[in-house]
Amino acid sequence: MNDVKRLIDKLYSTHSLTVSEYEEILRNITEEDRQYLKSLAREVREKHYGKDVYIRGLIEVSNICKNDCYYCGIRAGNHSCDRYRLTDDEILLCCDEGYRLGFRTFVMQGGEDSSFTDDRLCGLIGAVKEKYPDCAVTLSLGERSRESYKKLKEAGIDRYLLRHETADKEHYQKLHPENISWDNRMECLRNLKDLGYQVGCGFMVGSPYQTTEMLAGELKFIEEFKPHMCGIGPFIPHAKTKFRDFPPGDINMTLTLLSLIRLIAPKVLLPATTALGTLKSGGREEGILCGANVVMPNLSPKSVRKKYMLYDNKLSDGEESAQAVESLKARIKSIGYEIVTKRGDCIEKCI
Ligand code: SAH
């Protein structure tokens, strides 16, 4: 047995490796090792989640953002971005449609838009929960104060997605302007966990200046932070950002990382992301086959979908839209898995 396989076996049984061991896998993995890793990742996901694939209705509530993250198409400094924000009524209509289509989790994601005050969000959450008490509501609205996260939790929010973007502080500063800090991002993640949210962190694969050693560090971070969810997808350049000429992240590396994360955190909720599907047709299905167990189709109103362009060519209709859930179901079925109408919480004592 080669060294990479031996390390994969060690990870399978102990859920932990050193950073240099992770790096050794990432540097030396062969196609054959990849197949082996993938088979173990699937075994582990099926042990805990069977063939179930959870769906989340993603509602992109606003593309107005005060931040200027260098990689992001909706950054404040992009003056050619056509801005929008949904009203509460529009958001509730998205939930109505989502519920009808079989969604039992709604994810409200957006830029850091000051119109989403605590009061507004608490009212909105109350309305969604009153109408759909059997649904989970997830927010992904960036960094907020501990008090704000606390109020939102008390208002009924179940989960919060806040990708850490990179576990390396210096790298973080190369991806963000000075007024945005890694320490605060980490503080937010700790607060969310502490307040009892199911928390999702995550990072981009192949973001500018990322090294293999940093990716190994990402795996160590996931191992130690123990998120309930982990969103990873390839970096994809956006023409109106300063990273426009950087190459996109690698698909195989993304798939390998998904499988490794499944072995690190057997019960983690792991989406096959839109970015994966954007870079490669059938990319999301491959993600499922590598250990992912969540997909997040787009439930935003059709009129705004093209405006939430985080990166070039982001998928927003066709298979990506919530309305196409029937054909998504068929595609997932054709690879041996099944989309289910459930809230899809992280199994208790998740990791
Ligand atoms: N404002 C929220 C939501 C951000 S958008 C927040 O701060 O959490 C959701 C995710 O899209 C980001 O966390 C980032 O990881 C990803 N993203 C943004 N630009 C991207 C790009 N160019 N390529 C790939 N992923 C990108």
Side-chain angles (χ1 to χ4, degrees), residues 164 166 168-176 182 185:
H164 60 286
T166 168
D168 182 300
K169 188 171 171 171
E170 274 173 40
H171 184 217
Y172 193 88
Q173 240 37 79
K174 292 186 179 159
L175 302 179
H176 302 93
W182 183 86
R185 197 84 177 170

Side-chain angles (χ1 to χ4, degrees), residues 65 67 69 71-74 109-112 140-143 160-165 185 202-204 231 233-238 241 275 308 310-312:
C65 192
N67 293 329
C69 306
Y71 45 86
C72 185
I74 64 166
Q109 188 180 80
E112 291 198 17
S140 178
L141 296 171
E143 297 175 19
Y160 205 100
L161 303 180
L162 185 75
R163 289 189 178 180
H164 60 286
E165 312 298 358
R185 197 84 177 170
F203 58 94
M204 288 175 286
F235 161 76
I236 303 175
H238 185 288
T241 64
Y308 198 78
L310 302 174
Y311 42 81
D312 288 339

Side-chain angles (χ1 to χ4, degrees), residues 16 149 244 249 346 350:
S16 171
Y149 288 146
R244 69 179 72 87
C346 192
C350 189

